[in-house]
Amino acid sequence: MHFLSFSFFFFFFFQAEDGIRDAQESRGLGDVYKRQVSEYITQELNTFDIKVSDEESEYVVTKLDANMASIGKKFGKEGGKLKAALVKATPEQVTAFRAELAQTGKITVDGKELAEEDIKIVRTFREGITDYESNTDGQVVVLVDKRKDEGLMDAWRAREFVNRVMQLRKSAGLVVTDKVNVWFETKDEVLANAFASRADQINASVTDTWAAKDTMPADVEVTAKVETTIDESELVIYFSRK
């Protein structure tokens, strides 16, 4: 497996989904939601860094469109004219309309009063930014930082090593109080150096003593072993009794 990306930006936009129009009170609920979403994404995706933002202007272009299903019922043939007015709205008008929607739940376009259900807010990734891949459903914009960071790569390699050790403990039938010596063997210097450089990170999770197998005494009895890979590099982990 190649680990290609570590940073995700998620832009969330709250338009009184919580039923509260007061900006400060609503923001608190939005912050709770964003934290919960971040925790879920961290668990589900192989990533270290998730940044959730509602400051969209740097990365996102926001435009308005009409929900024709709603506008058509209310305004009939005038719906097309209203749609054109929304689509042509300048950035300044979009900002003003959205502020008014947040405060009152309605705006006036071409003399017609439109409610939130009449309007679509469409967000797209701003052109000219080359360091990210993006995707959007029009409401949430996801940016994936495609730049490779060796420091984060080493942190990921260390995390994968911890995962392999924990998996071997489980398959060996060990309980939390069981203590073993952990030995690892790999021909990949990058992998071995990553473990060494991220020793503090590994030690935070692996309380057993661990070291390279070439330092293991000849008379040590191996009690468990697993052959695995990290980033397509072969790795063998051994356990021995303390």
Side-chain angles (χ1 to χ4, degrees):
M1 166 183 174
H2 286 297
F3 194 79
L4 297 179
S5 181
F6 292 88
S7 294
F8 291 77
F9 288 79
F10 293 84
F11 291 85
F12 292 90
F13 308 95
F14 296 90
Q15 296 175 265
E17 289 91 339
D18 46 34
I20 299 174
R21 296 210 175 277
D22 180 84
Q24 294 303 315
E25 189 174 357
S26 179
R27 184 177 184 84
L29 293 178
D31 289 344
V32 171
Y33 176 72
K34 286 185 278 188
R35 184 174 65 252
Q36 292 172 340
V37 170
S38 296
E39 292 171 354
Y40 173 77
I41 293 169
T42 300
Q43 294 171 1
E44 294 296 319
L45 298 181
N46 207 358
T47 183
F48 281 94
D49 189 15
I50 294 177
K51 299 179 182 179
V52 182
S53 174
D54 51 14
E55 298 297 328
E56 60 190 276
S57 59
E58 184 176 358
Y59 298 99
V60 177
V61 175
T62 305
K63 297 182 179 180
L64 301 180
D65 201 351
N67 178 1
M68 293 305 297
S70 178
I71 282 183
K73 290 180 181 178
K74 293 181 180 180
F75 302 104
K77 294 181 179 179
E78 293 183 276
K81 182 180 178 182
L82 292 170
K83 175 181 173 69
L86 289 169
V87 170
K88 292 178 181 178
T90 65
E92 293 76 18
Q93 289 174 318
V94 170
T95 299
F97 283 152
R98 291 176 60 200
E100 189 174 350
L101 276 173
Q103 290 296 321
T104 68
K106 57 187 178 182
I107 61 174
T108 300
V109 178
D110 282 354
K112 304 295 183 182
E113 188 176 277
L114 304 181
E116 287 180 303
E117 64 267 20
D118 302 324
I119 301 164
K120 293 180 180 179
I121 296 179
V122 181
R123 298 174 176 91
T124 56
F125 186 48
R126 187 177 295 279
E127 295 182 0
I129 301 175
T130 59
D131 294 329
Y132 299 92
E133 297 290 345
S134 69
N135 200 355
T136 180
D137 62 0
Q139 293 298 310
V140 176
V141 178
V142 180
L143 307 181
V144 181
D145 189 343
K146 61 186 180 182
R147 293 170 293 183
K148 189 173 181 179
D149 184 299
E150 283 302 323
L152 286 177
M153 287 290 292
D154 283 348
W156 170 74
R157 293 178 181 113
R159 187 176 71 177
E160 291 301 300
F161 175 66
V162 170
N163 289 341
R164 303 302 194 280
V165 171
M166 296 306 178
Q167 290 168 9
L168 183 55
R169 285 185 63 90
K170 182 177 180 180
S171 64
L174 301 180
V175 297
V176 175
T177 55
D178 290 332
K179 298 299 181 182
V180 295
N181 291 313
V182 179
W183 313 92
F184 72 88
E185 182 178 26
T186 181
K187 295 179 180 179
D188 188 333
E189 292 186 3
V190 172
L191 195 59
N193 290 338
F195 299 161
S197 68
R198 303 297 299 189
D200 289 345
Q201 176 187 337
I202 294 172
N203 290 336
S205 300
V206 178
T207 58
D208 299 309
T209 302
W210 59 276
K213 185 177 180 292
D214 57 15
T215 65
M216 184 175 72
D219 60 348
V220 165
E221 178 184 356
V222 173
T223 59
K225 171 185 173 182
V226 65
E227 297 180 4
T228 184
T229 61
I230 294 179
D231 200 24
E232 298 186 348
S233 296
E234 294 181 356
L235 173 70
V236 185
I237 300 174
Y238 307 84
F239 285 175
S240 66
R241 292 187 179 89
K242 281 216 178 255

